[in-house]
Amino acid sequence: MPSNLKNKKVLIGISGGIAAFKICELLRMLVKAGASVRVVMTESASKFVTPLTFSALGAESVSTSMWDPGRDSLEHVSWADWADLFVIAPATANIIAKMAAGIADEVLSTQLLAYDGPKLVAPAMNVKMWNNFATKRNIKTLKEQGIELVGPTKGHLASLIEAEGRMAEPTEVYKSIEKILQSKADLEKYRILVTAGPTVEPFDPVRFISNRSSGKMGYAIAEIAKDRGARVILVSGPVAITPPSGVELVNIETADQMLKAIEAKYKYIDVVIMTAAVADYKPKIYSRQKIKKTKSDQNMLMTKNPDIISTLAKRRGRKILVGFALETQNLKAAAQKKMLEKKLDMIVANNPTLKGVEFGSDCNKASIFVKGKRATDLPTMTKSDLAGKILDEVIKLLKRKKK
Ligand code: C5P
């Protein structure tokens, strides 16, 4: 294994589960790759594997209790400052619950609460515990805090049944560690807000007007930006896809709610990327009761939604504003016009009626327009690859603005 984690500091938190034995292999892989590793174990974890095993396998230090005589009295803070990454593996339902609630009542949970860097959680538990409502809610809370997860996978559990709850294999955990520690961190200093999906504009409690946006483009941008080190806030309309872990998710339905959600964060944001398909109009009247069918035709009165990105452009400061233009004809001219009218730094133009890049597709074919530069026409590529290209341009704009 190449020594590609040289000088990286990894703190492994082991909680009490039989999968603790897998950490022996993980620790060896990390040490071989050049990482410095410290281990912090709960009391129950040390019933499965002894602390000595981890010291013998190359851990710099192993902490098992708040009350070790040889322990530095500020260890819970100094270790937290030391680490580049805190890996919690195996993570039991109990430690996950403590993380979600902010409980610090033993050595591992105390270190976790004192640590504000990136965390990677590898859950391992019985399938019923994994499917328990409380665990699901706690996992959701962790994801919302930007904490990364790896696994669990489906396979033989300690109870010998085949179900979800098995800790990811050490090689998988290692890959996630590598990904976090080696990411191209060129967006590290920046906070990026991405909007995605459709907005939904209701006109009675059961009906609404919306559009076909899948949210895939915005979710891909959010994920790649996060992988490149940005703090990402994803403001999303209702979509059927899973949000990337490690981003702050804000769910909204209407355009008004989207604007409000962005405004609440706007002050702290460096870049706004609006991929959302915001409904241009909303029903003028909202009926509190379901509208009854009648024998005659019906007209619906519509009123304009706020143009979110134009509203933001009025108070932009040094922020970079990126829009998307979705056109089925005269794509380029319309995109360029939109960029100027909405006072954007950049606009990404695409036509969802082209073959292979239809609504909901994993691919896209786009042209990127940057203010003051010639347009770049890109070939068809995955939405993740396109996200990378968009972010490359965003970086250039951020650097240009700084000068
Ligand atoms: O005007 P049009 O909808 O084509 O503009 C597209 C761009 O403007 C997208 O980036 C979209 O997210 C944004 N937009 C907005 N508020 C609206 C409509 C569109 O911010 N009400």
Side-chain angles (χ1 to χ4, degrees):
M1 186 166 302
S3 56
N4 48 3
L5 293 183
K6 218 171 165 34
N7 302 325
K8 298 290 182 193
K9 302 185 194 89
V10 181
L11 185 53
I12 306 184
I14 308 177
S15 59
I18 181 62
F21 80 90
K22 290 187 181 179
I23 308 309
C24 300
E25 192 187 339
L26 177 66
L27 175 63
R28 287 301 294 163
M29 292 167 87
L30 289 167
V31 171
K32 271 194 193 160
S36 305
V37 184
R38 292 183 188 177
V39 172
V40 50
M41 306 174 72
T42 61
E43 202 186 323
S44 29
S46 54
K47 306 268 189 231
F48 289 96
V49 185
T50 66
L52 186 65
T53 311
F54 296 112
S55 305
L57 288 172
E60 268 184 10
S61 189
V62 182
S63 179
T64 53
S65 158
M66 297 288 282
W67 320 111
D68 285 340
R71 197 176 190 277
D72 158 10
S73 61
L74 280 177
E75 203 169 274
H76 62 293
V77 190
S78 58
W79 280 33
D81 288 342
W82 170 85
D84 296 316
L85 175 68
F86 203 145
V87 183
I88 304 89
T92 57
N94 185 44
I95 198 74
I96 288 169
K98 287 194 212 174
M99 286 174 79
I103 293 173
D105 63 348
E106 36 66 39
V107 65
L108 175 55
S109 52
T110 304
Q111 298 232 12
L112 279 164
L113 199 61
Y115 179 76
D116 61 1
K119 294 182 193 125
L120 174 69
V121 172
M125 67 195 75
N126 166 279
V127 63
K128 286 193 177 161
M129 292 167 98
W130 175 247
N131 286 330
N132 186 291
F133 171 78
T135 306
K136 293 272 169 252
R137 184 197 52 206
N138 293 334
I139 288 284
K140 187 165 172 265
T141 306
L142 298 194
K143 283 187 179 168
E144 282 165 2
Q145 288 170 14
I147 294 173
E148 302 254 3
L149 273 109
V150 53
T153 59
K154 212 175 157 191
H156 276 108
L157 304 182
S159 52
L160 290 181
I161 58 161
E162 178 136 347
E164 198 178 8
R166 200 178 140 89
M167 192 184 110
E169 289 306 314
T171 44
E172 289 307 307
V173 181
Y174 180 84
K175 270 192 226 158
S176 300
I177 294 175
E178 219 179 16
K179 199 170 150 206
I180 297 171
L181 290 176
Q182 293 195 313
S183 62
K184 182 172 156 192
D186 55 355
L187 287 167
E188 204 166 53
K189 298 188 295 293
Y190 302 107
R191 287 162 203 263
I192 302 189
L193 188 146
V194 184
T195 67
T199 65
V200 163
E201 312 291 339
F203 53 93
D204 77 12
V206 294
R207 303 190 185 98
F208 56 80
I209 288 175
S210 189
N211 59 65
R212 291 177 189 274
S213 170
S214 69
K216 284 186 180 173
M217 191 65 240
Y219 277 48
I221 294 177
E223 178 156 30
I224 304 294
K226 182 262 315 191
D227 287 348
R228 285 166 64 164
R231 294 275 288 273
V232 179
I233 299 168
L234 176 58
V235 179
S236 176
V239 292
I241 52 176
T242 315
S245 61
V247 311
E248 184 183 333
L249 179 68
V250 183
N251 287 307
I252 54 87
E253 295 212 329
T254 65
D256 289 316
Q257 288 167 359
M258 181 173 274
L259 178 57
K260 217 168 147 197
I262 301 173
E263 280 179 332
K265 310 276 179 186
Y266 196 50
K267 206 164 118 190
Y268 309 103
I269 296 297
D270 301 299
V271 182
V272 177
I273 306 180
M274 286 284 302
T275 74
V278 184
D280 292 322
Y281 296 92
K282 63 183 168 192
K284 186 153 189 171
I285 296 160
Y286 176 79
S287 161
R288 283 173 173 276
Q289 306 302 331
K290 185 181 168 201
I291 299 169
K292 294 273 183 224
K293 187 159 46 183
T294 63
K295 289 222 163 61
S296 55
D297 292 345
Q298 295 272 335
N299 281 322
M300 183 182 285
L301 215 51
M302 305 278 271
T303 183
K304 280 205 90 167
N305 259 330
D307 191 303
I308 298 177
I309 205 155
S310 304
T311 311
L312 299 174
K314 290 185 187 124
R315 292 174 279 122
R316 64 185 315 142
R318 286 169 165 263
K319 295 180 209 307
I320 303 292
L321 300 179
V322 180
F324 267 67
L326 195 137
E327 303 289 342
T328 54
Q329 56 183 346
N330 301 330
L331 178 69
K332 289 190 175 174
Q336 201 122 31
K337 189 162 168 258
K338 245 171 224 179
M339 179 167 73
L340 297 175
E341 278 173 5
K342 294 185 184 238
K343 302 196 164 44
L344 308 180
D345 298 284
M346 173 172 152
I347 199 158
V348 182
N350 62 304
N351 178 350
T353 61
L354 294 181
K355 208 163 174 280
V357 296
E358 298 89 351
F359 274 112
S361 158
D362 290 331
C363 290
N364 206 346
K365 178 171 172 25
S367 300
I368 297 183
F369 295 79
V370 178
K371 210 167 69 183
K373 277 177 68 177
R374 280 180 55 180
T376 316
D377 296 326
L378 297 169
T380 301
M381 58 179 75
T382 64
K383 287 184 174 169
S384 297
D385 287 343
L386 178 58
K389 301 269 180 220
I390 294 167
L391 291 167
D392 289 344
E393 292 300 329
V394 166
I395 285 273
K396 287 185 208 157
L397 283 165
L398 281 163
K399 289 190 176 149
R400 224 198 286 168
K401 278 231 168 162
K402 247 193 191 168
K403 282 180 194 162

